Amino acid sequence: MTTGTDNPTAHGSGNAATDKFKKNRVSADTSRERANAIYKDLLGAIGDVARKHEVTYDEYRVVKQWMIDVGEYGEWPLWLDVFLEHDIEEINYNRHAYTGTKGSIEGPYYVPDAPELPSHCEMPMRDKDKAATPLIFRGQVTDIDGNGLAGAHLELWHADEDGYYSQFAPDIPEWNLRGTIVADEEGRYEIKTLQPAPYMIPHDGPTGWFVESYGGHPWRPAHLHLRVTHPGYREITTQLYFKGGKWIENDVATAVKPELLLDPKTEGDNNVVDYSFALDKED
Ligand code: DHB
Ligand code: FE
């Protein structure tokens, strides 16, 4: 497995993700009763696993050390988004009778307020990025009856051809491969970007040790991240993958869905793909 020499370390990208997350103090309107029920079930479930496997004192101490390390490396956003977020996403999708485009995990690398770009645009990229295969991504944002939503916003962010995200790895311009595309009056867009590569979660810190300890691999299939919004409609946070791509069948983050697979066609020097988004009305 080659990782290149200037790979961002777990420490670097982990700390950047933790710092970004900490900037917003989050809260939830969870009642004391609900908190109590969740807490009891959670501790009960952990106790059941410990009993089932007769966890030893050495194993208990290793877990304690590992949790301390995850915090010190700033890797909690990474670990949680890889191993837990897909369940949270599914639970909250199933709460409603949605029929629009499926969502997927946000992951740790979303940054709000990316600069606006017109409906037909090229993503901000370096000359080096232009050496990768160009990807033309086009389609329409509609309601669930297929009516175009004028001026819908598509926030797009993805890794470069080496698997690095701007603002989370060194020496990449701030908004590289990030933008808020404003769809046209019919909700259409045509975005020129680059074909991303599979992404390896930082593996040189405690998340990597965890994956290694159970004989797993640290890879996610190549993906585009999108958040699609229009006033009055359910916001969709999702990811799009590439049919037949490496790691599609065994994404470390368990976030691939069949509805989210792109199948680009080669046209000259470009890969070209149509994908449209149908937004449910807000409840
Ligand atoms: C992680 C990275 C991603 O790009 C993603 O989509 C999900 C998780 C991670 O490193 O934790
Ligand atoms: Fe990602």
Side-chain angles (χ1 to χ4, degrees), residues 28-71:
D29 60 356
T30 311
S31 68
R32 179 161 291 178
E33 291 68 32
R34 179 172 160 80
N36 195 277
I38 292 173
Y39 153 87
K40 278 196 180 131
D41 283 353
L42 179 64
L43 290 186
I46 294 172
D48 288 347
V49 171
R51 261 185 294 280
K52 176 173 172 191
H53 296 282
E54 298 185 341
V55 168
T56 66
Y57 248 102
D58 280 348
E59 288 165 342
Y60 171 70
R61 290 192 191 103
V62 165
V63 170
K64 203 181 208 175
Q65 180 62 60
W66 176 79
M67 291 180 114
I68 292 166
D69 290 341
V70 175

Side-chain angles (χ1 to χ4, degrees), residues 106-109 157-159 165 199 220 223-225 239:
E106 176 179 302
Y109 300 141
W157 70 103
H158 66 87
Y165 285 83
Y199 171 85
R220 300 213 58 223
H223 57 279
L224 303 173
H225 288 270
Q239 299 191 20

Side-chain angles (χ1 to χ4, degrees), residues 254-271:
T254 327
V256 179
K257 300 179 185 181
E259 299 88 343
L260 302 178
L261 293 179
L262 300 175
D263 191 11
K265 301 286 176 260
T266 307
E267 288 183 17
D269 294 335
N270 298 324
N271 285 354

Side-chain angles (χ1 to χ4, degrees), residues 173-239:
E174 188 177 17
W175 297 105
N176 204 58
L177 300 173
R178 295 178 180 274
T180 302
I181 296 96
V182 182
D184 70 11
E185 58 286 349
E186 292 177 337
R188 293 185 195 278
Y189 49 86
E190 182 169 322
I191 305 159
K192 184 168 184 184
T193 189
L194 61 86
Q195 186 76 40
Y199 171 85
M200 184 167 46
I201 62 168
H203 65 294
D204 56 334
T207 303
W209 309 335
F210 174 82
V211 169
E212 209 177 287
S213 72
Y214 67 75
H217 69 75
W219 289 95
R220 300 213 58 223
H223 57 279
L224 303 173
H225 288 270
L226 286 123
R227 172 166 298 181
V228 186
T229 56
H230 195 64
Y233 291 82
R234 179 179 81 97
E235 167 181 303
I236 296 177
T237 300
T238 196
Q239 299 191 20

Side-chain angles (χ1 to χ4, degrees), residues 21-115:
F21 187 80
K22 278 195 335 197
K23 274 202 188 121
N24 297 315
R25 295 310 301 180
V26 293
S27 62
D29 60 356
T30 311
S31 68
R32 179 161 291 178
E33 291 68 32
R34 179 172 160 80
N36 195 277
I38 292 173
Y39 153 87
K40 278 196 180 131
D41 283 353
L42 179 64
L43 290 186
I46 294 172
D48 288 347
V49 171
R51 261 185 294 280
K52 176 173 172 191
H53 296 282
E54 298 185 341
V55 168
T56 66
Y57 248 102
D58 280 348
E59 288 165 342
Y60 171 70
R61 290 192 191 103
V62 165
V63 170
K64 203 181 208 175
Q65 180 62 60
W66 176 79
M67 291 180 114
I68 292 166
D69 290 341
V70 175
E72 285 181 356
Y73 272 73
E75 286 194 23
W76 281 119
L78 270 53
W79 193 91
L80 288 164
D81 291 352
V82 167
F83 294 107
L84 185 60
E85 191 185 354
H86 66 98
D87 283 328
I88 304 295
E89 194 277 325
E90 181 190 306
I91 293 160
N92 286 283
Y93 181 85
N94 290 339
R95 272 215 172 105
H96 309 264
Y98 292 141
T99 57
T101 303
K102 287 265 166 94
S104 186
I105 66 172
E106 176 179 302
Y109 300 141
Y110 170 69
V111 183
D113 305 319

